[in-house]
Amino acid sequence: MNRIFAVLLLALASLLPTDGLAAMSDYCFQCHSPSKFTGATVHRPVAEKKCAACHNPHAARHEGLLPVTADRLCRECHRNIGGGPGGSVSHDPVNRGECLACHAPHASSQKRLLTDRVNTLCQKCHSVSVERPASSHLTRIACTSCHDSHGGSQRYLLKSAPATLCLSCHKNGGEHRNFPEQPQQCMSCHTPHESPRRHLVKAVLHAPYQEGCATCHSAGGTGGSSLCLGCHDEVGKAAGMRYSHLSGMGAANVCIGCHSPHAGDGRAMLKGAEPGLCLGCHRDTEKRFASRSHRHPRIATCTTCHTIHGSNRVAMLKMDGNAVCEQCHETQGKFTHPVGEAIRDPRNGTLVTCVTCHLTKGTDQPYHLRLNGEKELCVQCHPY
């Protein structure tokens, strides 16, 4: 109804004299100081003094007298904001409809109505700088030189494949003189942001890499996962577990899907930070829950709940039953619905756990319930 009212208001405003909307805004500025609506970049409705294009002047259901939520209002004009082809990768604030997390609604000193300088704004959420960098991209180029700010088709919102992106500036492989071929795996040795080493070489060097290339790249070697497991035998044990990232390895080296064989930012030599690294393969999981109205808050690392290499538990969970959820939800199951060893699901005889009633990553029901909690969910087990 409020939306209809706003449309009618704009229709009536169109019947006013040509300066009618401006006159309407003049009433707004009797209370709202015009100085707060000026800057190097001014939102077009503000510049044209069309306050009623976004605000209801009398009453509205949403903060700021908006007739609809801020993200819906923004998308009425900015319709092409979001993921890349097929919506493959979207920035989290875009998924959550948080346009105002990065953009000012009226005016800004920055381009594109950003609330701060691009790199400063990005690093409020993405901590990629090191304490004492010996080399840095962040002091010379903007994050948006390499990343799409809203959505794209590449992991980490990159504008193109990593090697293509690097070589667009570092022609002919940069400083790799006498390299046997055109470099294609830049991130295997280099970090893209800042490093305590020169030339953006990653902070931690793999021990065999320090000893020399021939340690792993011997003549006639297969280069498969067996090469890695020759040193990391404890990881090899995970290959025999019921659920494993290492299953079906064959001759291919699946280890380097996640780990760099040369250098890394930490001891695990991961190619990127969680959860972005995991979502490179599990993108379908994120897309499935991105539009849910009740989503689980973002957890910093996937390994809070899941093991890395293999597990005998479903979904490679790191603990049994409710223990994973109880890491954060300490009191659940103690005063609410009974769960645990003595409680069985009458439908299939399995243990009643948190996921019997809840979906962990999100649903369209409050509290992440699988079905409506007023009746529909309960009668699945309690029909009478």
Side-chain angles (χ1 to χ4, degrees):
M1 183 63 69
N2 282 331
R3 187 62 188 149
I4 295 173
F5 179 80
V7 172
L8 290 174
L9 183 67
L10 288 174
L12 287 172
S14 68
L15 300 177
L16 294 173
T18 53
D19 62 345
L21 288 177
M24 191 180 294
S25 295
D26 289 339
Y27 281 107
C28 301
F29 292 135
Q30 288 182 17
C31 296
H32 302 281
S33 172
S35 63
K36 295 182 179 180
F37 300 86
T38 59
T41 307
V42 179
H43 202 188
R44 182 179 295 177
V46 176
E48 296 176 354
K49 296 185 177 181
K50 294 179 180 178
C51 302
C54 298
H55 302 278
N56 187 316
H58 299 115
R61 297 176 64 89
H62 301 278
E63 186 177 354
L65 291 175
L66 297 179
V68 294
T69 58
D71 65 304
R72 282 186 58 191
L73 190 62
C74 296
R75 286 181 182 274
E76 289 185 8
C77 294
H78 307 282
R79 296 180 181 179
N80 296 322
I81 298 300
S88 52
V89 186
S90 292
H91 201 189
D92 259 7
V94 175
N95 285 335
R96 295 192 297 263
E98 297 176 352
C99 306
L100 301 185
C102 299
H103 300 278
H106 300 117
S108 171
S109 60
Q110 305 294 324
K111 293 180 179 179
R112 298 180 182 85
L113 289 171
L114 294 176
T115 57
D116 209 330
R117 293 178 60 254
V118 171
N119 288 15
T120 303
L121 186 61
C122 295
Q123 289 191 69
K124 288 181 180 178
C125 295
H126 306 282
S127 222
V128 294
S129 58
V130 299
E131 186 175 347
R132 294 180 181 177
S135 52
S136 173
H137 263 153
L138 301 179
T139 57
R140 293 182 292 154
I141 59 175
C143 301
T144 48
S145 297
C146 299
H147 301 274
D148 283 310
S149 52
H150 297 112
S153 59
Q154 297 287 328
R155 189 191 302 184
Y156 307 119
L157 295 172
L158 292 175
K159 290 188 171 182
S160 62
T164 303
L165 193 61
C166 297
L167 295 174
S168 66
C169 290
H170 302 281
K171 308 295 183 183
N172 302 316
E175 297 298 318
H176 285 277
R177 298 182 181 90
N178 301 318
F179 202 70
E181 58 186 27
Q182 180 80 327
Q184 293 296 322
Q185 301 294 332
C186 308
M187 301 304 166
S188 183
C189 297
H190 301 278
T191 184
H193 302 117
E194 287 187 334
S195 173
R197 297 179 181 272
R198 295 182 61 197
H199 307 301
L200 289 171
V201 173
K202 292 184 177 181
V204 181
L205 303 183
H206 196 195
Y209 173 64
Q210 286 183 292
E211 294 171 9
C213 302
T215 306
C216 296
H217 296 277
S218 58
T222 63
S225 295
S226 58
L227 178 64
C228 302
L229 299 180
C231 293
H232 303 281
D233 56 345
E234 75 285 357
V235 177
K237 296 176 183 177
M241 294 185 176
R242 186 175 181 182
Y243 305 97
S244 173
H245 268 150
L246 304 175
S247 59
M249 290 186 299
N253 191 333
V254 298
C255 302
I256 60 175
C258 299
H259 302 276
S260 168
H262 303 122
D265 294 318
R267 291 182 61 190
M269 313 285 291
L270 291 174
K271 284 187 171 182
E274 297 179 57
L277 179 64
C278 302
L279 292 176
C281 292
H282 300 283
R283 182 61 60 191
D284 59 329
T285 300
E286 184 182 47
K287 288 180 66 176
R288 193 182 316 136
F289 296 101
S291 60
R292 300 300 187 190
S293 54
H294 298 275
R295 297 176 62 195
H296 196 285
R298 174 59 66 91
I299 298 175
T301 61
C302 301
T303 48
T304 300
C305 301
H306 302 275
T307 58
I308 301 172
H309 299 113
S311 171
N312 288 323
R313 304 180 183 94
V314 174
M316 291 177 60
L317 291 176
K318 64 190 299 184
M319 302 177 197
D320 288 320
N322 303 301
V324 171
C325 301
E326 289 176 353
Q327 291 180 103
C328 298
H329 306 282
E330 297 176 358
T331 59
Q332 300 306 310
K334 295 181 174 62
F335 66 90
T336 55
H337 194 289
V339 294
E341 287 292 332
I343 312 301
R344 297 281 171 171
D345 188 328
R347 297 169 295 178
N348 51 30
T350 60
L351 296 180
V352 171
T353 66
C354 302
V355 296
T356 303
C357 298
H358 303 273
L359 278 174
T360 54
K361 293 180 175 63
T363 72
D364 289 325
Q365 302 293 335
Y367 310 112
H368 305 155
L369 294 175
R370 290 178 176 270
L371 300 168
N372 187 291
E374 293 184 5
K375 179 181 178 181
E376 186 181 7
L377 179 65
C378 300
V379 298
Q380 303 301 309
C381 295
H382 308 284
Y384 305 109

